[in-house]
Amino acid sequence: MNRHLRHLAAACLAGSAALLVVSAAGAQTSRSDWRQRDRARILREERYASPQSFAFELRFAPYSPEVDEEFSGAGPYEGTFGDGAQFYFGMELDWLPLRIPYVGAIGPGLGWGYTSTSAKAFEAGSDTRAEAEETSLTIMPMHVSAVLRGDELMRRTGVPIVPYAKAGLGMGLWFTSSGPGTADVDGVRGEGITWGTHLALGAMLALNWMDRRASSQLDETTGINHTYFFGEWMYANLDGLGSSPQMHVGTSTWVLGLALDM
């Protein structure tokens, strides 16, 4: 009797083990099938997406002009406006007509930005600020760059991360004013252009995965393939390219923004 019970228990254990193996294999196959179906769906969406040639960005960042970098200690900018960063707003349009296999798209980009600050002006020959007068500095940093977007990873695997890099020529158009009220009324104005270089490295998070159906409908109606949230390190080295002394109006900063592929 004990022998029969032992045989029965062994048979039950063997059957349970076999059931566990079959279940695990089935679950693994199910996960594999799900990944294959998801990948096929992503490829199908990419295949029927509208042509993609342009990218548009809205950009926001703190901006601290490097006006004082050629001075030792506190320079004229910090002495007038303080050491706090100013608000920067920018836009960029990229044309990406070429594609590097297994890497991504490449092409030229054109960017424009704006930042401005103001403070009460100092009375002549003193450290006292004149309540009726203001001094201001406005900077419009611009650039023409080569842009490389490594979106092949996203296109081939569905991972919604797109790294990118930009490098090119920068230009800072700047205006200063000082006088009672505004610079247009009995004020003193100054303006200039400072040339330099532009460099940026960043990564984008594609937001289409949040609602793929809505993203497909947006593509059909407007031609927008993808929407992104991005973060970027930007270095606008606007120092005159080593020429005669010019106002250094560039900066090194972190940029956040939204982008559209069209």
Side-chain angles (χ1 to χ4, degrees):
M1 183 67 175
N2 291 336
R3 183 181 306 166
H4 291 304
L5 289 176
R6 284 197 296 270
H7 287 319
L8 181 59
C12 291
L13 288 174
S16 299
L19 182 61
L20 288 174
V21 170
V22 172
S23 299
Q28 184 67 27
T29 302
S30 178
R31 286 195 295 269
S32 177
D33 291 343
W34 178 82
R35 283 194 291 266
Q36 291 177 359
R37 288 195 299 269
D38 191 56
R39 175 64 186 142
R41 176 174 53 79
I42 293 172
L43 290 175
R44 186 167 57 253
E45 291 174 356
E46 292 286 346
R47 186 180 301 116
Y48 292 107
S50 62
Q52 176 183 325
S53 300
F54 295 91
F56 176 74
E57 297 178 2
L58 290 176
R59 307 162 56 79
F60 309 92
Y63 198 101
S64 297
E66 298 175 340
V67 177
D68 295 339
E69 70 174 6
E70 56 184 318
F71 300 92
S72 59
Y77 180 87
E78 182 178 342
T80 303
F81 302 110
D83 58 359
Q86 310 305 320
F87 177 74
Y88 163 89
F89 166 76
M91 295 184 291
E92 181 173 325
L93 180 65
D94 301 332
W95 179 42
L96 306 170
L98 304 178
R99 183 161 287 278
I100 301 175
Y102 304 104
V103 178
I106 189 171
L110 178 64
W112 170 90
Y114 177 91
T115 184
S116 183
T117 184
S118 63
K120 296 296 182 182
F122 289 104
E123 294 181 356
S126 73
D127 294 333
T128 303
R129 293 187 181 270
E131 291 298 326
E133 296 187 4
E134 285 193 353
T135 184
S136 67
L137 172 64
T138 298
I139 304 171
M140 295 184 188
M142 294 171 266
H143 67 91
V144 177
S145 299
V147 180
L148 173 63
R149 293 199 180 189
D151 61 356
E152 279 296 317
L153 176 66
M154 181 182 70
R155 292 166 64 91
R156 293 175 178 272
T157 68
V159 176
I161 302 296
V162 179
Y164 64 89
K166 307 172 186 177
L169 180 67
M171 182 189 79
L173 179 62
W174 52 268
F175 307 90
T176 62
S177 65
S178 181
T182 66
D184 297 325
V185 182
D186 298 326
V188 178
R189 288 182 61 89
E191 58 184 47
I193 296 176
T194 303
W195 295 90
T197 56
H198 182 87
L199 177 66
L201 299 172
M204 295 180 165
L205 173 64
L207 304 179
N208 294 42
W209 60 270
M210 299 176 66
D211 192 335
R212 294 193 179 277
R213 183 181 298 275
S215 299
S216 297
Q217 293 175 348
L218 183 65
D219 187 15
E220 292 176 2
T221 57
T222 67
I224 296 174
N225 301 93
H226 300 91
T227 57
Y228 301 93
F229 174 78
F230 68 87
E232 169 189 305
W233 170 74
M234 178 184 76
Y235 182 33
N237 186 27
L238 305 178
D239 61 356
L241 294 174
S243 60
S244 58
Q246 299 183 34
M247 185 183 294
H248 295 192
V249 294
T251 194
S252 174
T253 189
W254 290 97
V255 180
L256 297 177
L258 297 173
L260 305 173
D261 279 346
M262 299 170 286

